[in-house]
Amino acid sequence: MKIASFNINGIKARLPRLLEWLEETRPAVACLQEIKTQDEGFPAEEFEKIGYHAVWHGQKGFNGVAILADGVAPVEMQRGLPGDDSDEQARYLEAEVNGVRVCNLYLPNGNPQPGPKFDYKLAWMERLRTRCRQHLAGEMPTVVLGDFNVIPGDRDVWSVRAMENDALMQPQSRDAYARLLADGWTDAIATLNPRGGVWTYWDYQAGAWQRDHGFRIDHLLLSPDCADRLVAAGVDKDHRGREKASDHAPVWVELKD
DNA sequence: ATGACTGCCTCTGGCAGA
């Protein structure tokens, strides 16, 4: 089964491109981030028309995540990241699809750093690690995927110097990501591309796409039983170059059935 | 060059993004 993640940067603005991508690549599960709509505005019927059922967790104006499944209804298991009752941001949604637990996340950006937004990011990452450890202790095959807003290493960015002060690649952000992985998760794209040079995001500004000035922040993490089933993983890079594209490209992993 | 672009909701400019 193919499981994909796509930060779409606004579901209303992106709907034609999103439907096109789903029909062309037909993932069994598609996790979306930055839907930027309230629950009432989510266009579920547009996905139903092409055979996808959805669960979603929206918020007015920004954030928001959704999980789509081909021909089967995802069974929602968790809405919002546990660990802080005061956190109102719609950044996390879990569902079970065909025996696999899918954890879809939109991790806080954290800029500017230092500051309260960076503190929120790091605290969020600790909460995520706690949640993920619980999953590793359980029985269900699990994939944790989405926009992590972390550049894991220097080989994951076009220019270390250009990004050195960014929250996405501060040592604290990288250490938190490394600690999460060390608990037992496999970064699918990194495992299959050990030399790096794979980007999932290109800024709209400064001709970043045309110059291939990108970095890798969208990740697919596999529990050990899913890692044993890893067949392939990749980036649908050509979708970033289309008319009215998101600033992220879709990423995906193929698991043996 | 403290720049650059895009989407959202609308206080049509300010915020957020990364």
Side-chain angles (χ1 to χ4, degrees), chain A residues 3-7 31 33 103-105 107 125 128 143-153 156 168 173-174 177-178 180-181 186-190 198-201 215-222 233-235 248-253:
Chain A
I3 301 175
S5 171
F6 192 3
N7 180 320
C31 293
Q33 303 89 33
C103 306
N104 179 22
L105 65 89
L107 208 147
M125 293 187 80
L128 176 65
V143 180
V144 180
L145 71 168
D147 178 356
F148 282 70
N149 271 319
V150 174
I151 297 168
D156 300 309
L168 275 54
S173 308
R174 287 180 164 182
Y177 185 76
L180 176 69
L181 257 61
T186 295
D187 179 330
I189 289 178
V198 178
W199 318 145
T200 68
Y201 171 91
F215 39 85
R216 188 173 72 95
I217 52 174
D218 300 273
H219 307 309
L220 307 138
L221 307 190
L222 311 178
V235 181
H248 295 250
V251 298
W252 53 269
V253 61

Side-chain angles (χ1 to χ4, degrees), chain A residues 9-250:
Chain A
N9 187 21
I11 202 164
K12 292 167 192 165
R14 208 68 58 218
L15 193 58
R17 283 286 93 95
L18 177 56
L19 293 170
E20 176 183 86
W21 169 71
L22 288 167
E23 297 204 281
E24 284 181 23
T25 68
R26 209 71 206 180
V29 183
C31 293
L32 310 178
Q33 303 89 33
E34 283 206 89
I35 62 175
K36 294 186 173 180
T37 180
Q38 290 170 294
D39 284 340
E40 308 86 90
F42 187 81
E45 63 287 349
E46 298 296 325
F47 301 118
E48 294 281 345
K49 278 185 206 163
I50 62 166
Y52 279 91
H53 304 283
V55 293
W56 60 94
H57 179 29
Q59 181 176 355
K60 189 175 184 177
F62 66 117
N63 299 330
V65 286
I67 300 175
L68 312 183
D70 187 3
V72 60
V75 180
E76 184 174 320
M77 301 180 79
Q78 175 66 35
R79 169 176 296 241
L81 184 63
D84 181 356
D85 292 339
S86 70
D87 186 359
E88 305 280 337
Q89 300 194 28
R91 296 180 174 275
Y92 189 81
L93 188 62
E94 279 179 20
E96 182 263 322
V97 182
N98 292 332
V100 177
R101 186 201 320 265
V102 175
C103 306
N104 179 22
L105 65 89
Y106 174 45
L107 208 147
N109 170 302
N111 281 307
Q113 71 80 30
K117 291 189 173 183
F118 191 57
D119 295 341
Y120 173 62
K121 176 188 189 121
L122 296 178
W124 206 96
M125 293 187 80
E126 286 308 309
R127 287 161 59 200
L128 176 65
R129 186 178 178 211
T130 298
R131 183 70 181 172
C132 289
R133 286 171 79 118
Q134 291 166 359
H135 292 331
L136 289 174
E139 298 291 315
M140 192 177 288
T142 300
V143 180
V144 180
L145 71 168
D147 178 356
F148 282 70
N149 271 319
V150 174
I151 297 168
D154 287 354
R155 66 193 61 186
D156 300 309
V157 57
W158 67 277
S159 165
V160 170
R161 196 173 158 199
M163 294 294 292
E164 65 185 345
N165 294 318
D166 198 287
L168 275 54
M169 52 176 275
Q170 291 312 295
Q172 299 101 308
S173 308
R174 287 180 164 182
D175 289 350
Y177 185 76
R179 283 197 298 275
L180 176 69
L181 257 61
D183 288 334
W185 300 97
T186 295
D187 179 330
I189 289 178
T191 299
L192 297 178
N193 300 275
R195 285 187 300 237
V198 178
W199 318 145
T200 68
Y201 171 91
W202 295 258
D203 201 290
Y204 287 126
Q205 303 184 60
W209 168 249
Q210 288 76 13
R211 300 175 185 192
D212 201 28
H213 290 179
F215 39 85
R216 188 173 72 95
I217 52 174
D218 300 273
H219 307 309
L220 307 138
L221 307 190
L222 311 178
S223 64
D225 41 5
C226 286
D228 289 342
R229 294 162 59 186
L230 174 60
V231 175
V235 181
D236 290 332
K237 185 173 175 180
D238 72 292
H239 287 259
R240 175 62 181 83
R242 297 190 186 188
E243 195 78 17
K244 290 279 287 178
S246 171
D247 41 6
H248 295 250

